[in-house]
Amino acid sequence: AQTVTQSQPEMSVQEAETVTLSCTYDTSESDYYLFWYKQPPSRQMILVIRQEAYKQQNATENRFSVNFQKAAKSFSLKISDSQLGDAAMYFCAYRSAGISGAGSYQLTFGKGTKLSVIP
Amino acid sequence: DSGVTQTPKHLITATGQRVTLRCSPRSGDLSVYWYQQSLDQGLQFLIQYYNGEERAKGNILERFSAQQFPDLHSELNLSSLELGDSALYFCASSTSPGGTNTGELFFGEGSRLTVL
């Protein structure tokens, strides 16, 4: 079974600064998807960024980018120019890409990192 | 707005009772997933339906059951409720069993269940 580990329960960053959230995962599969979801106090789960494992290029979405290290099974999220609205819980998630029987498509989540942004 | 609708948003009930949570997926999405989010367990996958049929089962208790109806909405039934069942229950949807081409799931706002 796949596992996702977020080793930083809480992080803080000064407004306009850069912060990196860590995520490692364990899998024996070669093809999969990785995601970062954001959960603000409104509790809605919002997709921040996604990465397909077969793509070597790191994904980027505006101020959000990832450092995907497939061999190390690491998938960190970098938030540049942090804004007050970035304060939230951030969850790293894994999803298998292939058909390998029942239960292949659900997301496996890490425990989350609570990010605070200091004005 | 993800397009996934969950009702009720909040629910308070007593131990031993039964509740039903409802989810309407995004228009066109055939697959529905249920997740439980509690403080100590994080986000746990419960069960997945695709076009009315159960596709995958996770850490779902025997006291819990779900179904997906012909109009594709889904219901999660929780019975003999215990204090530990207090949690946020999310529904998510996607088009194919495996999600969109990008693998993404679209989440509702969740139903907050409090068991007293």
Side-chain angles (χ1 to χ4, degrees):
Chain A
Q2 293 80 21
T3 58
V4 178
T5 302
Q6 294 179 248
S7 59
Q8 306 150 316
E10 296 188 27
M11 294 277 287
S12 62
V13 61
Q14 206 76 30
E15 194 175 4
E17 295 296 311
T18 296
V19 65
T20 298
L21 308 184
S22 300
C23 172
T24 58
Y25 57 95
D26 187 24
T27 184
S28 58
E29 298 176 329
S30 60
D31 198 14
Y32 46 86
Y33 295 100
L34 295 165
F35 305 89
W36 280 97
Y37 277 86
K38 168 185 177 181
Q39 187 179 36
S42 67
R43 76 190 187 195
Q44 174 86 50
M45 294 290 287
I46 302 166
L47 179 68
V48 174
I49 199 166
R50 70 174 69 84
Q51 175 83 40
E52 291 95 331
Y54 67 88
K55 290 186 177 179
Q56 293 188 345
Q57 186 174 7
N58 289 325
T60 299
E61 288 286 342
N62 301 314
R63 298 183 294 107
F64 299 87
S65 61
V66 298
N67 183 3
F68 173 49
Q69 301 288 330
K70 190 172 183 179
K73 296 180 183 175
S74 171
F75 183 61
S76 61
L77 174 70
K78 186 172 81 171
I79 305 174
S80 304
D81 185 24
S82 296
Q83 300 175 0
L84 295 178
D86 294 333
M89 282 290 289
Y90 286 82
F91 292 94
C92 179
Y94 171 102
R95 204 217 84 181
S96 172
I99 299 174
S100 58
S104 301
Y105 302 116
Q106 73 272 22
L107 298 180
T108 299
F109 287 89
K111 295 284 191 184
T113 297
K114 183 178 181 180
L115 178 66
S116 300
V117 180
I118 304 166
Chain B
D1 183 5
S2 67
V4 179
T5 304
Q6 289 188 248
T7 57
K9 285 187 167 46
H10 300 275
L11 191 56
I12 301 174
T13 188
T15 55
Q17 294 300 303
R18 172 190 171 94
V19 299
T20 298
L21 309 180
R22 181 187 169 102
C23 170
S24 294
R26 290 189 321 155
S27 177
D29 282 358
L30 302 177
S31 199
V32 169
Y33 302 75
W34 286 97
Y35 282 84
Q36 179 193 57
Q37 184 180 27
S38 57
L39 283 175
D40 56 344
Q41 292 294 322
L43 276 151
Q44 297 286 317
F45 168 68
L46 296 179
I47 198 164
Q48 177 202 354
Y49 280 83
Y50 175 73
N51 203 20
E53 295 186 0
E54 183 184 306
R55 270 305 173 106
K57 212 171 223 185
N59 301 318
I60 188 166
L61 300 172
E62 286 191 9
R63 301 183 285 109
F64 296 179
S65 65
Q67 54 184 325
Q68 186 178 27
F69 295 86
D71 67 353
L72 300 177
H73 91 271
S74 178
E75 293 181 356
L76 179 66
N77 301 297
L78 315 176
S79 62
S80 303
L81 286 168
E82 302 175 358
L83 296 178
D85 297 328
S86 295
L88 186 56
Y89 290 85
F90 279 108
C91 170
S93 76
S94 65
T95 301
S96 66
T100 65
N101 289 337
T102 57
E104 177 181 353
L105 298 187
F106 298 88
F107 284 82
E109 293 185 354
S111 293
R112 169 76 67 187
L113 173 66
T114 301
V115 182
L116 301 176

